[in-house]
Amino acid sequence: MATYVLIHGAGDSSYWSLVVPELRARGHDVVAPELPSDDAAGLSGYTDAVVAAIGDRTDLIVVAQSLGGFTAPLVCDRVPARLLVMLAAMVPSPGETAGDWWDNTGSEQARLEQAERDGRPPEFDLMTTFFHDVPPEIAAEATSREQRAESAAMWTQPWPLDAWPEVPTRFLLCRDDRFFPAPFMRRVVRDRLGITPDEMDGGHLPALSRPKDLVDRLEAYRAAL
């Protein structure tokens, strides 16, 4: 039995609501903490919350979605994780803030170029950008909830590590991601992690659109350890 530690991105831990029971049905423990919203929390507060939720659990597989990519390596620097899986995630560089990441990587330009290739309007739209492949009833439930506030300090605290933690790392990008398009993510992962990402079908929210497929991929990673 492994312990899967699921770190959500912007939004809340309900993002993992379909993945948690699937992992538990396969015999695993799951930790999916809610990250703090107070403005002072920032990266340190997010990391503390995840480490506290892990407690004395072992055999850890840490999975980070989107903005959670800034927190997950810090967790792995403090606990003995067996594997870190970055899922459509932001990959930080030493000293970089989450607020600066967008310009540093060219993510917005990549999003606009993808919209042009797809023949879509350039304006950001929540449903079109994030929920385009999520079943309508699941999208309706997700968007009906009050949005969790992100900690203001999360965007301004520099990522504190000098290098990526010594943990086996896999990156899983989504080929139909309209927010972090696949060509953009392939470049970022190559430049910042020096690895070739794995790929799956789906948009930016695979835990909602393809939870079983996602768990199959996570379990394949675990089996290969």
Side-chain angles (χ1 to χ4, degrees), residues 4 6 16 19 23 26 28 61-64 83 85-87 172 211-225:
Y4 280 91
L6 308 179
W16 301 109
V19 169
L23 286 169
R26 301 190 193 199
H28 302 298
I61 297 175
V62 178
V63 184
L83 178 69
V85 181
M86 302 281 279
L87 175 63
L172 183 56
K212 186 178 183 303
D213 291 346
L214 174 57
V215 171
D216 286 344
R217 297 299 292 264
L218 297 178
E219 283 285 81
Y221 288 151
R222 181 187 61 81
L225 290 174

Side-chain angles (χ1 to χ4, degrees), residues 11-39:
D12 57 43
S13 60
S14 66
Y15 172 69
W16 301 109
S17 61
L18 302 177
V19 169
V20 170
E22 184 70 31
L23 286 169
R24 287 178 175 158
R26 301 190 193 199
H28 302 298
D29 192 6
V30 184
V31 176
E34 191 75 28
L35 300 179
S37 293
D38 58 283
D39 283 344

Side-chain angles (χ1 to χ4, degrees), residues 136-147:
E137 66 278 8
I138 296 173
E141 180 182 357
T143 55
S144 68
R145 291 188 291 268
E146 183 177 355
Q147 181 71 26

Side-chain angles (χ1 to χ4, degrees), residues 3 9 72 75 80 84 124 146 152 174-175 188 225:
T3 297
V75 172
L84 169 57
F124 175 85
E146 183 177 355
C174 300
R175 283 188 281 267
V188 169
L225 290 174

Side-chain angles (χ1 to χ4, degrees), residues 20-156:
V20 170
E22 184 70 31
L23 286 169
R24 287 178 175 158
R26 301 190 193 199
H28 302 298
D29 192 6
V30 184
V31 176
E34 191 75 28
L35 300 179
S37 293
D38 58 283
D39 283 344
L43 275 172
S44 56
Y46 285 17
T47 304
D48 288 345
V50 178
V51 171
I54 292 170
D56 60 359
R57 293 175 174 87
T58 58
D59 199 16
L60 306 175
I61 297 175
V62 178
V63 184
Q65 161 74 18
S66 198
L67 180 60
F70 265 75
T71 302
L74 304 182
V75 172
C76 292
D77 191 53
R78 289 176 53 181
V79 301
R82 294 182 63 201
L83 178 69
L84 169 57
V85 181
M86 302 281 279
L87 175 63
M90 298 165 72
V91 182
S93 287
E96 184 175 55
T97 70
D100 288 337
W101 184 90
W102 313 91
D103 287 340
N104 291 349
T105 59
S107 68
E108 177 63 7
Q109 184 61 33
R111 184 189 70 80
L112 293 172
E113 291 172 356
Q114 186 64 51
E116 183 176 8
R117 286 193 293 270
D118 294 344
R120 293 182 284 105
E123 295 79 18
F124 175 85
D125 175 77
L126 184 68
M127 299 304 295
T128 301
T129 306
F130 282 160
F131 289 94
H132 59 96
D133 66 333
V134 175
E137 66 278 8
I138 296 173
E141 180 182 357
T143 55
S144 68
R145 291 188 291 268
E146 183 177 355
Q147 181 71 26
R148 164 187 162 273
E150 208 70 56
S151 168
M154 176 63 199
W155 304 108
T156 60

Side-chain angles (χ1 to χ4, degrees), residues 186-208:
R186 293 182 189 113
R187 171 178 60 79
V188 169
V189 174
R190 180 189 67 241
D191 292 348
R192 296 194 166 202
L193 291 179
I195 63 175
T196 299
D198 299 312
E199 305 187 12
M200 66 177 288
D201 291 335
H204 192 65
L205 305 177
L208 296 177

